[in-house]
């Protein structure tokens, strides 16, 4: 149990993520509530839930859980694992334990500030960058964990970007957006979005294509940014952007759930 706790702490503090499964309700199986098992990305396991078949089923589920950054309760039925509750089923809480993802906002205008509030609410580590003193300040954006007041290009060159970094380019102009995009491309960000109209963002992508940037990397840029919800105000635009980030992070499809 101590080894499991140590491994969970390492993951939460920035080490490699790990998949955790914990028994909530034993159901028909002779399990002990609270029993835990960890699964590494490699498939290596630590601990056991007390049932070999259940351990195997959850280890097989782990790769998809890593991809979706899952946190859910699963119910074990004769048909397998399900997120739908079932009477008398074994209930297992599963979670990918990892450090907070970084939400990097490039541009501290009205939309940037609204994004900082939402990203903080959604438990991201929030970083915001602007090259203007009166915009990049902790007083103006108190929700940010990091406030960077520097040249966009220089700051982004040295900022650590990786698979847990979500980047939104919402600067005051297309010149700053394009310079920032050039600096962020090809560095493995989980999300890279740029604000702007189809015409303007299409022109930016064409410039980069002509300059030899990888077409596959350009195709991954989310632009125009956000989901189409008819957003008009900075707050509504921020919601549409965060909805797209959540959709991609959790493996959603953005479809309407309403039905009759």
């Amino acid at each position: 149990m101590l080894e499991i706790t140590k491994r969970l702490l390492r993951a939460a503090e920035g080490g490699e993520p790990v998949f955790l499964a914990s028994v909530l309700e034993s159901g028909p199986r002779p399990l002990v509530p609270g029993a835990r098992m960890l699964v590494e990305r490699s498939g290596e396991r630590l601990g056991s839930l007390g049932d070999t078949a259940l351990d195997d089923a959850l280890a097989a589920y782990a790769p998809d859980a890593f991809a979706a950054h899952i946190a859910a309760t699963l119910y074990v039925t004769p048909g397998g694992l399900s997120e739908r509750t079932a009477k008398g089923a074994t209930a297992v809480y599963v979670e990918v334990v990892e450090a907070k993802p970084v939400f990097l906002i490039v541009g501290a205008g009205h939309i940037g500030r609204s994004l900082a509030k939402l990203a903080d609410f959604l438990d991201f580590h929030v970083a915001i960058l602007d090259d203007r003193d009166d915009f990049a300040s902790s007083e103006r954006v108190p929700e940010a964990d990091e406030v960077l007041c520097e040249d966009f290009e220089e700051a982004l060159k040295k900022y650590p970007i990786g698979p847990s970094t979500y980047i939104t380019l919402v600067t005051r102009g297309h010149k700053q957006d394009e310079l920032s995009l050039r600096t962020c491309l090809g560095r493995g960000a989980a999300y890279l979005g740029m604000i702007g109209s189809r015409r303007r963002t299409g022109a930016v992508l064409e410039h980069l294509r002509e300059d030899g940037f990888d077409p596959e990397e350009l195709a991954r840029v989310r632009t125009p940014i956000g989901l189409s919800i008819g957003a008009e105000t900075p707050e509504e635009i921020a919601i549409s952007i965060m909805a797209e980030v959540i959709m991609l992070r959790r493996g959603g499809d953005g479809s309407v759930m309403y039905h009759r």
Side-chain angles (χ1 to χ4, degrees):
M1 188 65 73
L2 179 59
E3 286 303 310
I4 288 178
T5 301
K6 288 180 177 178
R7 180 63 184 90
L8 291 173
L9 285 172
R10 288 202 306 275
E13 291 171 356
E16 275 292 309
V18 67
F19 174 79
L20 168 67
S22 306
V23 176
L24 294 179
E25 298 176 9
S26 60
R29 291 174 169 78
L31 306 177
V32 178
R36 298 191 292 179
M37 177 183 71
L38 300 186
V39 182
E40 303 283 355
R41 284 190 187 275
S42 65
E44 184 181 352
R45 307 179 199 178
L46 181 61
S48 172
L49 301 183
D51 181 288
T52 301
L54 183 57
D55 287 351
D56 291 345
L58 286 162
Y61 176 86
D64 289 337
F66 279 113
H69 308 274
I70 200 77
T73 298
L74 298 180
Y75 298 90
V76 187
T77 68
L81 302 175
S82 171
E83 291 190 19
R84 291 189 175 187
T85 183
K87 187 176 180 180
T90 297
V92 181
Y93 178 72
V94 296
E95 177 185 9
V96 174
V97 179
E98 56 192 337
K100 280 186 179 184
V102 175
F103 196 85
L104 174 57
I105 305 163
V106 184
H110 295 306
I111 294 173
R113 289 174 62 195
S114 296
L115 281 168
K117 293 175 184 177
L118 282 174
D120 175 60
F121 176 71
L122 293 169
D123 205 30
F124 283 85
H125 174 95
V126 181
I128 191 163
L129 165 65
D130 205 289
D131 59 357
R132 299 167 290 179
D133 291 341
D134 51 342
F135 281 77
S137 71
S138 297
E139 292 74 21
R140 182 177 167 85
V141 196
E143 299 84 3
D145 299 288
E146 297 178 76
V147 179
L148 308 171
C149 184
E150 299 179 53
D151 173 79
F152 290 114
E153 193 174 11
E154 291 305 313
L156 289 170
K157 280 180 180 177
K158 61 187 180 184
Y159 196 88
I161 294 173
S164 293
T165 312
Y166 296 74
I167 306 171
T168 56
L169 308 179
V170 289
T171 73
R172 62 185 179 276
H174 67 274
K175 178 182 178 181
Q176 290 83 4
D177 283 342
E178 182 170 342
L179 282 172
S180 299
L181 181 58
R182 287 174 179 270
T183 311
C184 294
L185 275 168
R187 295 173 63 188
Y191 175 92
L192 179 54
M194 181 175 64
I195 202 165
S197 66
R198 291 185 183 277
R199 182 181 63 81
R200 197 192 90 180
T201 58
V204 168
L205 294 178
E206 186 58 32
H207 292 165
L208 299 181
R209 192 174 292 109
E210 291 171 354
D211 287 348
F213 280 87
D214 185 348
E216 289 187 9
E217 286 293 328
L218 294 173
R220 293 183 64 239
V221 180
R222 309 295 295 196
T223 191
I225 198 171
L227 298 184
S228 178
I229 60 173
E232 294 288 347
T233 68
E235 294 80 8
E236 290 172 347
I237 293 168
I239 287 172
S240 79
I241 294 170
M242 293 308 302
E244 182 176 59
V245 168
I246 293 168
M247 177 188 73
L248 296 174
R249 178 171 166 77
R250 299 297 189 188
D253 61 12
S255 60
V256 175
M257 291 190 288
Y258 171 89
H259 67 91
R260 288 291 183 271

